[in-house]
Amino acid sequence: MITHIVGNRPQFIKLAPLYHELAKAGCGQSIIHSGQHYDENMSDVFFEELGIPAPDVNLCAGGGSHAQMTARIMVSLEERLTAHKPELVVLYGDTNTTLAGAVVAAKLCIPIAHVEAGPRVHKRENPEECNRIVTDHLSDILFCPDAISLQNLEREGLGQAAYMTGDIMYDTYLTIADSVQESFSAEEVVVMTWHRQENTCSRARMESILNLVERLGERVICPMHPRTRKCLAEYGLLERAEGIPNFEITEPVGYTEMVRLMNRARLILTDSGGLSKESSFAGAKCLFMLEMDMWEDLVKDKWMHKFDPEREESVAEALQFARQAKRVPPADRPRHYGDGHAAAKMVEKLRERGLI
Ligand code: UD1
Ligand code: UDP
């Protein structure tokens, strides 16, 4: 039995292609949901849209501080994995769910496969960086989304276990994009997502991001993460945000709707690790609201521009980048993240290593 451990929106999106590929290969699988994301539009909608069976168990361990959440997930996970000891655990990305899964599975001597291994932002104050480093070092097989991630792992002495399979999110994107018309005639918009701890942890930071949206002065559609809405409300900024005439705040959307939005975006304004990379699949330039090492190939291509919303000079450059951004046709988009067959390559490598 292979057990997938997931709990967050991007993990459901990463799980879908691998689940389907392993099913094709005849592998028995189960899904443990940590409960880190729990709203219908942050969780269930992805299982339904992407054809993933409902989780075998939901640990309902979401909410609270990093330590509280990670500890709750670990305790429940240990019970579950001890009772149903799988032959392999699959972990995704870099969240607290990933970290909890890595520590528990490693101590129970269950082999671990890590999907989206190797990215490094080289900043310990980024909470996901801790999760990535620990998970990569405890895993038995590592699947990298790009060449830079593979180099990072080689530098850390993990090259023996690492493979460049390409980004599994590209598999998912292509599956959905196939069924969603890409229209160059639809009205072009700026699509925004915003949720990182670094961008929601202070009033000044949130206010500077709202100022930027206002200065953009064109329609910005923002399916808003519940964390961001809660933080805006706590800082007394929600009314200000809702009052910005060009700012269209919506509830979080399912993946099909997200692909529709990306595919008519002229620009993606985001702090999301996933969406910043997806911008290159969808042909929209990306303005990234954090200054840290991320998807450096896209930065070199001048596809992605990173900025600090709190520094006027940096904001001025960002606005200039935004004004010049145009939709890019498929043939001219960067291709750093594989060929859309990452899941098939993962299954092949798992087989070669005798893990399935
Ligand atoms: C988490 C991950 C982050 C990932 C993101 C994907 C960690 C440390 N962070 O951040 O790496 O990029 O998921 O979206 O694991 N909330 C709801 N409903 C939900 C989910 C969250 O209301 O369904 C609210 C709760 O108030 C919760 C807060 O959002 O406390 C933050 O959720 P949490 O999962 O801790 O962090 P994310 O910002 O979602
Ligand atoms: N996404 C979505 N609906 C939304 C916002 C984002 O389907 O309302 C998708 C997005 O296209 C990407 C993934 O969710 O595939 C990214 O998740 P998120 O930004 O929450 O996490 P991160 O990638 O930063 O870890």
Side-chain angles (χ1 to χ4, degrees):
M1 177 69 72
I2 299 168
T3 297
H4 304 267
I5 300 174
V6 289
N8 307 66
R9 170 166 72 188
Q11 294 174 335
F12 313 136
I13 294 168
K14 290 164 197 166
L15 162 66
L18 187 55
Y19 187 92
H20 296 312
E21 203 61 36
L22 286 166
K24 264 203 281 177
C27 299
Q29 304 179 72
S30 69
I31 299 172
I32 300 180
H33 190 318
S34 69
Q36 185 171 348
H37 285 177
Y38 44 84
D39 292 343
E40 199 276 335
N41 58 17
M42 294 292 288
S43 177
D44 297 7
V45 65
F46 298 97
F47 285 82
E48 285 150 24
E49 282 187 4
L50 302 175
I52 315 165
D56 295 81
V57 62
N58 189 320
L59 308 177
C60 297
S65 70
H66 283 274
Q68 288 165 345
M69 181 196 302
T70 310
R72 268 200 310 272
I73 300 174
M74 283 177 66
V75 171
S76 304
L77 209 48
E78 188 183 55
E79 276 172 29
R80 181 79 193 179
L81 293 181
T82 305
H84 305 262
K85 203 169 172 182
E87 278 95 45
L88 177 74
V89 149
V90 187
L91 303 174
Y92 298 83
D94 53 18
T95 74
N96 288 343
T97 297
T98 321
L99 172 68
V103 176
V104 171
K107 292 201 171 185
L108 292 173
C109 300
I110 302 170
I112 301 170
H114 186 203
V115 175
E116 203 179 83
R120 295 288 182 268
V121 302
H122 306 112
K123 274 192 178 181
R124 284 287 163 94
E125 58 270 33
N126 171 247
E128 288 81 9
E129 185 82 339
C130 309
N131 299 345
R132 282 179 209 115
I133 293 172
V134 174
T135 304
D136 285 338
H137 283 260
L138 291 178
S139 293
D140 297 86
I141 186 163
L142 299 158
F143 298 129
C144 302
D146 65 351
I148 295 176
S149 300
L150 182 61
Q151 284 162 16
N152 290 337
L153 294 177
E154 284 167 349
R155 212 173 295 123
E156 291 175 27
L158 298 174
Q160 290 286 325
Y163 300 96
M164 159 59 189
T165 53
D167 181 22
I168 200 156
M169 293 180 91
Y170 191 32
D171 296 25
T172 316
Y173 171 83
L174 289 177
T175 308
I176 300 298
D178 253 4
S179 62
V180 171
Q181 198 85 26
E182 179 165 354
S183 165
F184 277 81
S185 59
E187 183 210 355
E188 289 185 7
V189 288
V190 176
V191 174
M192 176 180 187
T193 72
W194 169 17
H195 75 279
R196 289 301 256 259
Q197 176 171 299
E198 295 93 324
N199 279 333
T200 53
C201 63
S202 89
R203 187 177 203 278
R205 185 78 178 185
M206 296 197 91
E207 209 165 14
S208 67
I209 292 174
L210 292 178
N211 291 342
L212 175 92
V213 170
E214 200 160 31
R215 283 170 75 179
L216 270 173
E218 65 180 296
R219 190 169 173 207
V220 176
I221 301 180
C222 178
M224 192 170 273
H225 192 292
R227 175 198 195 118
T228 312
R229 190 182 283 274
K230 282 178 191 166
C231 291
L232 284 171
E234 265 167 40
Y235 292 127
L237 288 171
L238 191 56
E239 244 173 71
R240 152 101 207 274
E242 287 172 341
I244 297 175
N246 57 311
F247 197 23
E248 203 172 308
I249 301 173
T250 72
E251 289 299 313
V253 296
Y255 194 64
T256 308
E257 184 52 26
M258 196 63 204
V259 171
R260 268 197 204 103
L261 282 173
M262 284 186 241
N263 282 358
R264 60 185 276 230
R266 182 178 77 71
L267 178 75
I268 289 177
L269 172 64
T270 191
D271 55 11
S272 160
L275 190 60
S276 50
K277 177 163 37 72
E278 286 170 321
S279 71
S280 68
F281 311 157
K285 295 284 181 88
C286 178
L287 204 43
F288 192 69
M289 305 193 284
L290 279 173
E291 284 185 318
M292 60 187 189
D293 297 343
M294 176 154 297
W295 314 133
E296 289 304 305
D297 282 321
L298 291 181
V299 176
K300 272 192 220 128
D301 289 346
K302 301 201 181 328
W303 186 274
M304 174 165 154
H305 179 86
K306 293 181 274 190
F307 75 105
D308 175 355
E310 289 184 279
R311 263 195 320 116
E312 176 48 35
E313 204 181 306
S314 184
V315 169
E317 282 169 17
L319 285 167
Q320 197 183 359
F321 180 88
R323 279 185 206 110
Q324 288 167 357
K326 287 194 186 74
R327 275 198 66 68
V328 175
D332 300 332
R333 295 174 194 169
R335 291 177 194 281
H336 302 296
Y337 304 102
D339 59 5
H341 297 288
K345 294 191 179 84
M346 290 174 192
V347 172
E348 193 186 305
K349 296 298 168 199
L350 287 169
R351 216 183 253 127
E352 272 174 31
R353 289 237 167 183
L355 287 163
I356 56 171

